[in-house]
Amino acid sequence: MVITSAVKQKNNPEMIRIYINDVYAFSMPAEEYYRMNLYERTELNQEDINFINDEINAKLAKQVSIRMLALKDRSENEIKKKLTQQGFDNEIIDKTILQLKSMGYINDMLYTRKYISDRLKLKPKSKRALFFELKRKGISDGIIEEALDETQLDEPLLAYRLAKKKYGKYDVFEPAIQRKIISFLGHRGFSYEVIREAIKQMME
């Protein structure tokens, strides 16, 4: 098996795509490529390839992931996207994710519960809005629904409190103020029925 081409990745020049016998084989860090004195026409055996994937790529992918998780909580999908952007192959990414999950570094259920809890404290939204936010982060429908079902969220009361906090000093009988409340709560994912009930409570 001969390296016939070594090309820096466009999205990450620090990673090099290795072609063996004119067929893409794997990617690896440019630093390691030069350190191992690899170059075109270099012959590799399966043991060399296994070493590069298991001892170099896998360890680096794990280090990158742990650094990310040390900064903030991440979902499994977020880690996958980042590793893909970094230029790691799918096989390495899958192995890394599996290892991190077994070590407890990645747990989408715990991530989802914490996300919902933090969101409701800092910037409350409806369950529907939270569902779509988490779905965009790659969390499965089942996990989101289970976590939301566990959440004691009184949407009518929450909508009322949010509207009163922002518009309580205004005349809620004014149609213009009501339209602003409808827009405000609508952007936070509340249904029209819940919004109308919140306005009604404010009027009372």
Side-chain angles (χ1 to χ4, degrees):
M1 294 184 288
V2 178
I3 296 177
T4 51
S5 182
V7 182
K8 288 186 177 181
Q9 293 186 358
K10 291 182 179 179
N11 62 326
N12 184 9
E14 295 182 1
M15 292 288 283
I16 291 182
R17 294 173 62 87
I18 306 298
Y19 292 81
I20 294 178
N21 300 336
D22 294 320
V23 177
Y24 173 74
F26 55 86
S27 293
M28 67 181 297
E31 181 181 354
E32 293 295 331
Y33 175 80
Y34 297 121
R35 187 184 67 80
M36 294 178 67
N37 199 29
L38 299 178
Y39 48 88
E40 292 182 19
R41 314 317 306 176
T42 298
E43 291 189 9
L44 296 177
N45 56 38
Q46 191 58 50
E47 186 177 342
D48 295 325
I49 295 174
N50 291 342
F51 174 80
I52 291 170
N53 280 325
D54 297 337
E55 298 299 322
I56 296 178
N57 289 338
K59 285 185 177 180
L60 180 59
K62 182 180 176 182
Q63 290 170 2
V64 169
S65 301
I66 291 177
R67 282 200 298 268
M68 289 174 57
L69 290 163
L71 294 174
K72 60 178 290 190
D73 294 328
R74 313 265 184 170
S75 67
E76 177 180 332
N77 189 61
E78 288 174 320
I79 295 292
K80 283 184 177 180
K81 282 186 176 180
K82 185 64 176 179
L83 292 178
T84 299
Q85 292 170 359
Q86 290 285 320
F88 292 100
D89 293 335
N90 289 334
E91 183 180 355
I92 296 296
I93 293 174
D94 290 341
K95 287 182 179 179
T96 302
I97 293 295
L98 189 62
Q99 186 177 18
L100 291 173
K101 288 172 73 173
S102 68
M103 297 170 68
Y105 282 103
I106 295 177
N107 186 318
D108 275 1
M109 176 54 81
L110 292 180
Y111 172 89
T112 302
R113 287 170 177 159
K114 187 175 186 304
Y115 183 92
I116 292 172
S117 176
D118 291 345
R119 208 75 169 93
L120 291 176
K121 290 176 184 175
L122 301 175
K123 193 175 181 182
K125 289 190 175 185
S126 69
K127 285 189 175 184
R128 183 174 63 176
L130 289 171
F131 180 92
F132 286 112
E133 281 188 3
L134 287 161
K135 193 169 178 63
R136 285 195 294 270
K137 291 180 175 293
I139 306 296
S140 71
D141 290 4
I143 289 178
I144 300 173
E145 289 168 358
E146 183 177 345
L148 286 173
D149 286 343
E150 296 173 356
T151 304
Q152 300 299 317
L153 178 58
D154 186 334
E155 288 200 343
L157 178 59
L158 176 60
Y160 166 71
R161 286 176 175 174
L162 289 171
K164 187 170 179 61
K165 181 179 180 181
K166 190 170 181 67
Y167 294 100
K169 62 183 179 180
Y170 298 99
D171 183 0
V172 75
F173 288 91
E174 287 287 337
I177 298 302
Q178 292 185 20
R179 287 196 295 270
K180 288 184 177 181
I181 294 174
I182 291 170
S183 176
F184 170 67
L185 293 177
H187 278 99
R188 291 181 180 246
F190 293 99
S191 68
Y192 186 72
E193 291 75 17
V194 169
I195 295 172
R196 294 307 306 178
E197 180 61 28
I199 294 174
K200 180 182 176 182
Q201 288 186 51
M202 292 179 69
M203 293 172 70
E204 292 174 351

